[in-house]
Amino acid sequence: MWQELIGQEFSVKVLQQAALDSKEALTGKVMPGFSQAWLLTGPPGSGRSTAARLFAATLQCEQNGCGKCISCISVNTGTHPDVKVIAPQGLSYGIDDTKDLVREATLMPSLGQWNIIILEDADRLTTEAGNALLKAIEEPAKLTMWILCAPSSKDVLITIRSRCRIVSLRTPPADAIADLLIKRDGIDKAMAHFAAHASLGHVGRAKLLATDEQVRERRSLVLQVPFELKDLPSCFAAAQRLVDAATEDADIATDEMDEKELNNLLRAYGEGAEGVTKRKVERLASSAKKELEEGQKKRYKRITRDRLDLTLQELAAFYRDVLVLQTGADLELFHTEMKGSIQRFADSSSVNSTIKRLDSVESTRRMLNSEAAPLLVLESLTVQLARA
Ligand SMILES: [Zn+2]
């Protein structure tokens, strides 16, 4: 079951031992690997959510994660009644989102050994929301287990993270990703290696790059940007294109989800009502629809920002490749397929300006987490890149 999580041998051992120790702890023994609050960290695409799910399955399974029993299967398909996966809809978790969670955390498990709550993107907890959760995490109910996920521990409120046992995933090596694409998805060797490097260690992204030509095209458009920044109009045009590319990715990711959710909702409200009841149901349906659409809007905004961040990571990797060639460092390039043009770029600029450009990209990534309008932020970036 754990082979799904690639390149994380050390963390897998820690989590498997933790699950064993947790079973012992249930008998009243004091076990070193036991904790009721975990924080799994790792860069996007390294497999945080997968690790959390597999850990939950291992905790619930009587054979410590056999992958075959009804308990393992139901956790892995998202249907286990005692494993709840919570993800923020918008850019952050608010106080209202956490009230229900605090209640959930007091429940006893109905079938499994533990009542497990997986909180994805715990870095998006507002201070208020974090404080509301703090007590539930600090003094958990006897059979409640928290598994929080975040890009890095420093992104999580210190009050929360200081209560958690931390397990850090690393960026999976490109060779391991290529291997997975070949074995699991039947992708040919050359494409698998290209996608593994181009994905910057993001497993899901690697599969998309290997299988979707449009994703590859958008990526190469992004990587043309450094060559096009000459004057103000070209900077503004490039910024617009970066935003468009992220928006198109987000459209594809959300359209299908949105439609399915709306159909489910209409079906839930639409059947069997007559007369006065029917009008009442219609009123309820329209307010539920409004609520759903608001949630979807928030999610769309979040996914667009996530894609933009990915775009910026690709740009950062480009300038990092430039720096590698400029300094003659003995490192493999991320964008190997464009080595020729990266070399020309490296020859025509200085190490100093490359470092400035890398700084600009990094500070832009931080700014995107605020409420600032993405297009403005990116226009300011492209202008900085042109002037560096
Ligand atoms: Zn099992």
Side-chain angles (χ1 to χ4, degrees):
M1 178 172 87
W2 283 93
Q3 67 271 18
E4 205 186 324
L5 190 70
I6 55 167
Q8 312 292 352
E9 295 75 12
F10 180 75
S11 300
V12 170
K13 273 203 191 105
V14 172
L15 293 173
Q16 282 175 325
Q17 187 59 47
L20 278 177
D21 282 8
S22 303
K23 287 181 180 74
E24 289 288 321
L26 280 176
T27 67
K29 283 189 205 145
V30 178
M31 300 303 292
F34 172 63
S35 166
Q36 283 178 266
W38 293 86
L39 174 57
L40 307 185
T41 65
S46 60
R48 283 178 331 237
S49 314
T50 308
R53 170 169 50 76
L54 294 173
F55 183 37
T58 307
L59 283 163
Q60 301 288 26
C61 173
E62 279 175 21
Q63 295 149 74
N64 216 44
C66 67
K68 297 184 193 106
C69 69
I70 179 84
S71 168
C72 282
I73 290 171
S74 59
V75 175
N76 281 323
T77 51
T79 53
H80 197 292
D82 301 318
V83 177
K84 277 150 215 114
V85 181
I86 319 288
Q89 284 289 306
L91 292 174
S92 61
Y93 287 100
I95 186 93
D96 289 337
D97 302 320
T98 45
K99 274 189 193 138
D100 290 340
L101 260 186
V102 171
R103 227 181 350 262
E104 292 265 2
T106 61
L107 300 177
M108 290 290 280
S110 55
L111 288 176
Q113 321 235 25
W114 300 96
N115 173 29
I116 300 178
I117 301 174
I118 298 175
L119 190 67
E120 294 194 347
D121 302 318
D123 52 311
R124 298 184 198 245
L125 283 167
T126 61
T127 309
E128 267 182 317
N131 286 339
L133 277 187
L134 190 58
K135 203 170 152 53
I137 292 179
E138 201 170 23
E139 295 164 22
K142 191 161 174 274
L143 295 176
T144 293
M145 185 82 80
W146 289 91
I147 307 175
L148 279 55
C149 304
S152 77
S153 62
K154 69 177 189 324
D155 298 329
V156 179
L157 297 169
I158 184 159
T159 43
I160 299 269
R161 76 166 185 255
S162 61
R163 266 70 178 181
C164 296
R165 192 78 60 88
I166 299 173
V167 174
S168 306
L169 304 182
R170 57 176 186 155
T171 301
D175 286 344
I177 298 179
D179 227 37
L180 179 78
L181 293 179
I182 295 167
K183 286 195 187 123
R184 185 191 66 187
D185 304 315
I187 287 158
D188 78 68
K189 214 173 149 200
M191 177 60 90
H193 278 276
F194 157 75
H197 281 277
S199 74
L200 312 176
H202 191 300
V203 181
R205 173 87 178 155
K207 186 176 175 191
L208 274 179
L209 281 165
T211 54
D212 188 332
E213 198 180 339
Q214 284 193 336
V215 173
R216 285 199 294 278
E217 258 166 40
R218 272 198 291 279
R219 170 181 171 275
S220 57
L221 279 181
V222 167
L223 293 175
Q224 281 313 308
V225 163
F227 299 94
E228 292 164 358
L229 305 174
K230 307 235 148 58
D231 46 16
L232 272 185
S234 62
C235 288
F236 289 161
Q240 182 68 55
R241 248 205 358 259
L242 292 174
V243 173
D244 288 346
T247 316
E248 279 164 36
D249 270 353
D251 285 340
I252 293 172
T254 51
D255 275 355
E256 208 177 313
M257 281 194 281
D258 287 357
E259 203 183 302
K260 210 157 130 202
E261 286 164 354
L262 183 62
N263 286 338
N264 284 346
L265 182 136
L266 293 179
R267 208 171 312 127
Y269 280 96
E271 281 164 9
E274 294 289 336
V276 180
T277 326
K278 188 171 183 217
R279 280 195 295 282
K280 229 186 235 166
V281 168
E282 277 169 359
R283 253 205 323 276
L284 282 174
S286 102
S287 91
K289 192 175 156 213
K290 219 189 219 157
E291 204 173 296
L292 174 71
E293 283 167 351
E294 261 163 39
Q296 289 175 338
K297 239 186 254 164
K298 277 192 198 165
R299 177 175 64 198
Y300 180 73
K301 201 168 159 190
R302 177 171 60 82
I303 291 180
T304 310
R305 302 242 172 182
D306 288 350
R307 300 291 150 139
L308 266 179
D309 188 59
L310 197 74
T311 300
L312 292 177
Q313 287 180 48
E314 281 171 349
L315 277 181
F318 172 89
Y319 291 117
R320 176 265 189 203
D321 283 354
V322 170
L323 195 62
V324 166
L325 294 180
Q326 282 174 332
T327 56
D330 183 22
L331 292 166
E332 218 172 326
L333 298 186
F334 285 114
H335 306 307
T336 37
E337 86 287 2
M338 45 189 300
K339 185 168 181 195
S341 49
I342 296 177
Q343 183 70 60
R344 277 193 298 282
F345 194 95
D347 293 340
S348 67
S349 60
S350 69
V351 170
N352 217 342
S353 51
T354 308
I355 291 173
K356 270 193 209 152
R357 287 175 173 133
L358 273 167
D359 280 346
S360 303
V361 177
E362 281 311 315
S363 58
T364 305
R365 287 184 64 194
R366 283 194 296 277
M367 278 187 72
L368 273 182
N369 285 326
S370 67
E371 287 289 328
L375 184 60
L376 291 180
V377 176
L378 285 180
E379 282 175 352
S380 140
L381 171 66
T382 49
V383 172
Q384 284 174 47
L385 291 175
R387 288 187 180 159

